[in-house]
Amino acid sequence: MRSLEQSLSEHNLIVLRVIAEWIGIDLTGTDKGEAVETLAQMLAQVDLREEMAEMEPGEAEALRALIAPGGRIPVAAFSRDFGDIRPMGPGRLEREEPWLDPYSPAEALWYRGFLFRGFDTTSEGHLEFFYIPTDMLAHLPMEEVVPSEPVVSVPVIHAIEPPTAVEPASNDAVDDLTTLLAFAHHTGLLPDHLHELNALLVNPDRQRRSLFLTLADEMGLVKRQNDGLRPTRSAIDWLQQSREQQLRAMMDAWSQSGWNELRHTPGLICEGEGWQNDPIAARTALLDALPRTDEWVHGDDLLATVKRADPDFQRPDGNYDTWYIRDEATRQYLSGFADWDLVEGRLLSFP
């Protein structure tokens, strides 16, 4: 991100003067460049540990939350927990003096010069962050400002008693992909043939069939010809493997597949093409939350863990208002973090 001096230069002069008052400086001049330079030098000498000790609990918690991931958090995600900053021009700032009665921890930190806002390029694209300037962050002693008890409590996934009746694992995924390849070999697979194919599958669910067609293509098991999909030599190699190896190959392909579960999740209607999500991120979030033991756990515990520890796995900018998704039953649009269970929760629960 930016240095302290670069960050301060984004403020107008009245905000610079407010920040200066907190540390006992009187910036009376009208030269903004000089004011930025003076304020940056003085802030660099502030005992940040002492400043944090004197903050309101909510402000200190917000600052610790920002320090923990390296000094920056997407604006929408940070605002969800610690509020936003009301946009004000110089005239409104002079009239309302929001620093005297900030309406959120974020706003309080903003007018004390601990919190700034800006865009940065990430692997997920160009995102807007709240951040601590790099040179200021370097003076925050992590081991001393992080409390002994975690600020964010993540639900513990407790082991439960194994169920009295267990449905054995099925290999019908292998059977159905094998059937699909055999059908393509004998007839060539075109969209008009899907009804005939369904009659041969163990599970003819339309979403499942869509997934298997995508995996067959991505695994290189089929190729497109004039008379439809036909098996490749790679399909022969896959068919000669053991069932365990075949299932493992399908699992590996699924983990990196472009097939988008969100647009196939029951109960959701995804509209428009002007937004996108990363299907691999959803699978990664779920697999990372799964325990590494053979104990039984409750599915609700898994969802609660992801929601608390990594809620923005599908939306790295933390913005829950940009997708066009309806609830199939109510026809209402689902937006805002309040609808997480109805979107992300359903997605993670989709088998």
Side-chain angles (χ1 to χ4, degrees), residues 167-175 202 208 243 247:
E167 184 177 341
S170 172
N171 285 329
D172 60 13
V174 171
D175 295 333
V202 176
R208 193 169 183 269
R243 293 177 70 83
L247 195 59

Side-chain angles (χ1 to χ4, degrees), residues 99-300:
W99 50 89
L100 298 180
D101 185 23
Y103 92 116
S104 70
E107 195 167 82
L109 293 175
W110 178 264
Y111 289 113
R112 294 191 66 172
F114 284 95
L115 183 69
F116 296 86
R117 185 170 183 161
F119 286 89
D120 203 5
T121 301
T122 72
S123 58
E124 289 85 17
H126 205 50
L127 303 182
E128 188 177 20
F129 291 91
F130 279 129
Y131 70 95
I132 302 171
T134 51
D135 40 356
M136 179 177 281
L137 182 65
H139 291 286
L140 287 166
M142 296 281 294
E143 69 281 1
E144 295 186 37
V145 300
V146 177
S148 57
E149 293 297 324
V151 174
V152 177
S153 59
V154 177
V156 177
I157 303 180
H158 296 288
I160 60 176
E161 290 295 322
T164 55
V166 179
E167 184 177 341
S170 172
N171 285 329
D172 60 13
V174 171
D175 295 333
D176 281 345
L177 184 53
T178 300
T179 299
L180 186 154
L181 294 173
F183 188 91
H185 172 70
H186 288 292
T187 66
L189 186 53
L190 291 167
D192 292 343
H193 299 152
L194 294 179
H195 181 72
E196 298 174 53
L197 174 62
N198 284 348
L200 303 174
L201 297 176
V202 176
N203 184 344
D205 177 78
R206 182 170 61 88
Q207 310 290 13
R208 193 169 183 269
R209 186 193 65 212
S210 169
L211 171 60
F212 288 171
L213 283 168
T214 300
L215 292 183
D217 183 40
E218 293 176 342
M219 294 168 70
L221 305 183
V222 293
K223 60 183 177 182
R224 289 175 174 80
Q225 296 186 347
N226 292 335
D227 60 348
L229 295 179
R230 291 287 185 175
T232 64
R233 179 164 293 277
S234 295
I236 298 175
D237 295 337
W238 181 80
L239 289 167
Q240 291 175 338
Q241 294 176 355
S242 69
R243 293 177 70 83
E244 182 179 351
Q245 290 173 322
Q246 290 173 326
L247 195 59
R248 170 56 64 183
M250 292 178 68
M251 176 67 179
D252 290 343
W254 167 78
S255 69
Q256 297 298 317
S257 175
W259 195 77
N260 195 338
E261 281 90 349
L262 182 62
R263 292 185 179 266
H264 295 272
T265 298
L268 298 180
I269 302 173
C270 297
E271 299 178 345
E273 302 296 331
W275 58 273
Q276 62 183 11
N277 65 296
D278 181 2
I280 295 176
R283 299 170 199 146
T284 301
L286 182 60
L287 294 173
D288 285 349
L290 288 171
R292 299 296 186 261
T293 67
D294 58 0
E295 296 176 316
W296 287 82
V297 297
H298 201 286
D300 288 345

Side-chain angles (χ1 to χ4, degrees), residues 332-350:
Q332 298 296 312
Y333 281 109
L334 302 173
S335 64
F337 189 72
D339 284 331
W340 191 96
D341 292 333
L342 297 178
V343 179
E344 277 79 1
R346 281 176 174 169
L347 170 60
L348 293 176
S349 301
F350 180 34

